[in-house]
Amino acid sequence: MANSAPTFSIQRIIFLAVSLVLCVQVGWWINVQIRESGRLLRARTEVLNASLAGAWQMDSLHLLAAIGASPDPSSRTGSFQGRFATLPSLEQRRAAIQKRFPHVVLVPSPITPDDIALLDGSAFLSLRPEPLLALKNQRWHSVIRAASEGAFMVVAVLSGFVLLYRKLAEELDLKLRQRNFTSAVTHELKTPIASLGIWTETLFTRNLSDEQRLRIRGLMDKDLARLNELVGNLLDVARSESGSLVLHLAPLELSPWLRAVCEAMDQRLEAGSLGLRMEFTSEPLWANVDPKAFGTVIENLLSNAFKYAAEPRQTTITLDGDGEDVLIVVSDLGHGIAPKDLPRIFHRFFRVGDEMTRQVAGTGLGLFLVKEIVTRHGGDVRASSRGLGLGSDFTIRLTRIPRPEDA
Ligand code: ADP
């Protein structure tokens, strides 16, 4: 994970640049759409005005000239020219003009020489307001449509980019974790094997007292236990991923079983080094549990409480009932976990910090397995921490069942 920062920042810059270009393009598109709708509005208004002028030219020019010469309404005479002037009645002319120019109306009005169109001395031509209003509305609609389509496009494309970015970041993170895992596993395998090699050579090449042999045997047992735990975890993860991790759930009284697992683990780590306190309720609590798999859960949590705390350690394991559930809490007063890391510690291969600076041995599989096994028991496990240096709590919740004899 040490070299993750530059890759992520290059990726981030590319995504930001592409998003920016995209937003500018969509902004430009909205601008073009709005300008285009303004141009259309003007063009259509001109067409309407042209139809007014057309109607006027075809029927009224002559009369206006006559009125201009003689403003007295009683002396309005003159002949109509144009296509409609031949129609005998005013009604017919009106109907014909209306048909030919649907956007033009004949408005009865007192006439002045300033009025534009005149037909019969009591009416002038005018544009209907409705088509103009409709055009203006159309323009607003197209502006609103362009803006909302643009906004939708921006939101859709940006969310696509965010999803893609997250997916890529996850993939990249998983790859880095996998790479770290390979080197961690290699190290985890090599260390006890090298140590076992040294002890074997010592046993066969040196003259040792019984006491020394016994001490070396104890150390070799520890190396073997470490190897056993690692290989067991690797196998369980492989089985869980291939779907072949079969659990044999059966009713189990938790208190005596948990006590035995904790004591065995304490012995394995180094008697008393966990500073383990067991606070178990006196009430008999039963749950459907696979003892072997659930043993792995407790061992991993205790092993972490050992690894991620300095001496003198203080580890507490509590067992209690909570309504329909059973709660098992493993707490330590060790390094603690930063809030930003809490959501990821159950992820496969995840380890806090990076491989170059990390002091404690591990593979990042323990908590993944814990989560997997507890979930397969129909339970739930959560981690919390009061902060760095203030310890961590792991809470397991299982469904409580009645004692088989009472069921
Ligand atoms: P491993 O211990 O092999 O690294 P785990 O999956 O067991 O892998 O744990 C993942 C990470 O969570 C560890 O690397 C460690 O940083 C953190 N962690 C787990 N348990 C504890 C704990 N009790 N206290 C502090 N940090 C912990």
Side-chain angles (χ1 to χ4, degrees):
M1 248 172 244
N3 45 5
S4 63
T7 327
F8 273 121
S9 53
I10 289 172
Q11 208 184 29
R12 219 167 263 161
I13 289 169
I14 293 174
F15 271 96
L16 274 178
V18 174
S19 312
L20 199 73
V21 169
L22 207 98
C23 288
V24 169
Q25 274 197 339
V26 173
W28 179 250
W29 179 81
I30 294 175
N31 179 35
V32 168
Q33 294 291 315
I34 290 173
R35 278 208 320 231
E36 186 61 17
S37 68
R39 206 183 57 75
L40 261 175
L41 174 75
R42 279 193 298 279
R44 287 189 188 158
T45 312
E46 272 165 23
V47 168
L48 288 180
N49 281 327
S51 88
L52 177 67
W56 157 247
Q57 284 207 346
M58 287 176 81
D59 217 55
S60 311
L61 257 181
H62 187 78
L63 185 62
L64 183 70
I67 286 175
S70 168
D72 175 10
S74 59
S75 68
R76 279 178 201 151
T77 53
S79 59
F80 293 107
Q81 287 187 343
R83 195 195 302 169
F84 306 119
T86 53
L87 293 170
S89 77
L90 181 62
E91 287 311 312
Q92 282 172 318
R93 284 214 310 279
R94 277 185 175 163
I97 289 176
Q98 208 67 80
K99 200 169 165 203
R100 172 73 179 80
F101 302 104
H103 298 132
V104 174
V105 282
L106 302 174
V107 182
S109 160
I111 305 298
T112 72
D114 296 333
D115 291 327
I116 9 168
L118 287 175
L119 276 176
D120 58 355
S122 65
F124 66 90
L125 293 171
S126 162
L127 268 184
R128 281 182 187 282
E130 299 89 357
L132 280 172
L133 269 176
L135 279 184
K136 280 195 180 128
N137 282 341
Q138 265 176 27
R139 174 165 154 73
W140 273 114
H141 284 156
S142 55
V143 167
I144 290 167
R145 205 183 56 215
S148 51
E149 277 176 7
F152 177 77
M153 266 160 66
V154 168
V155 170
V157 173
L158 285 184
S159 351
F161 268 100
V162 168
L163 281 180
L164 198 69
Y165 175 79
R166 284 209 177 146
K167 202 76 210 142
L168 279 177
E170 263 172 32
E171 290 280 312
L172 210 72
D173 190 39
L174 184 67
K175 271 209 175 114
L176 287 165
R177 281 191 274 137
Q178 248 163 340
R179 207 170 63 195
N180 290 340
F181 164 77
T182 313
S183 65
V185 159
T186 315
H187 174 78
E188 283 289 283
L189 285 171
K190 271 171 119 180
T191 312
I193 289 173
S195 158
L196 282 169
I198 292 169
W199 294 131
T200 315
E201 199 184 322
T202 311
L203 280 176
F204 285 101
T205 55
R206 299 252 178 101
N207 270 333
L208 300 169
S209 65
D210 285 351
E211 193 191 331
Q212 282 172 319
R213 281 175 186 280
L214 212 65
R215 205 174 71 79
I216 289 179
R217 193 191 149 172
L219 293 171
M220 288 177 88
D221 278 347
K222 277 211 168 70
D223 285 332
L224 282 172
R226 192 171 160 186
L227 275 176
N228 201 28
E229 186 183 317
L230 175 65
V231 173
N233 273 356
L234 287 173
L235 278 176
D236 282 347
V237 168
R239 282 193 197 113
S240 119
E241 281 179 342
S242 68
S244 59
L245 181 67
V246 182
L247 298 185
H248 302 284
L249 300 182
L252 183 74
E253 189 185 351
L254 293 172
S255 185
W257 171 82
L258 196 56
R259 190 175 295 279
V261 172
C262 290
E263 280 168 357
M265 190 63 188
D266 191 40
Q267 286 297 319
R268 247 176 61 197
L269 289 170
E270 219 176 286
S273 60
L274 264 174
L276 188 63
R277 260 188 21 230
M278 291 182 257
E279 295 177 357
F280 296 174
T281 172
S282 53
E283 184 189 5
L285 293 172
W286 289 73
N288 271 324
V289 163
D290 176 328
K292 186 169 177 301
F294 215 76
T296 306
V297 169
I298 304 297
E299 283 166 10
N300 270 305
L301 292 179
L302 289 178
S303 164
N304 282 349
F306 179 83
K307 287 196 295 184
Y308 302 107
E311 282 187 276
R313 298 182 185 85
Q314 288 183 51
T315 314
T316 311
I317 180 159
T318 60
L319 170 69
D320 212 345
D322 182 26
E324 304 282 285
D325 294 335
V326 174
L327 288 186
I328 301 172
V329 184
V330 179
S331 312
D332 63 61
L333 294 181
H335 302 344
I337 303 165
K340 73 173 171 54
D341 292 322
L342 272 173
R344 302 172 71 201
I345 55 170
F346 291 102
H347 290 183
R348 203 166 31 136
F349 310 134
F350 179 78
R351 304 201 70 210
V352 173
D354 78 55
E355 222 50 56
M356 311 298 287
T357 55
R358 200 177 286 125
Q359 301 295 319
V360 184
T363 56
L365 288 182
L367 289 183
F368 171 73
L369 207 55
V370 165
K371 177 109 189 163
E372 198 71 11
I373 294 174
V374 173
T375 310
R376 294 277 303 274
H377 276 77
D380 177 48
V381 56
R382 280 161 206 270
S384 60
S385 173
R386 289 164 292 282
L388 284 178
L390 298 174
S392 322
D393 299 329
F394 290 84
T395 306
I396 298 172
R397 190 176 280 276
L398 287 179
T399 308
R400 184 177 178 173
I401 57 164
R403 200 167 59 149
E405 296 90 75
D406 304 339

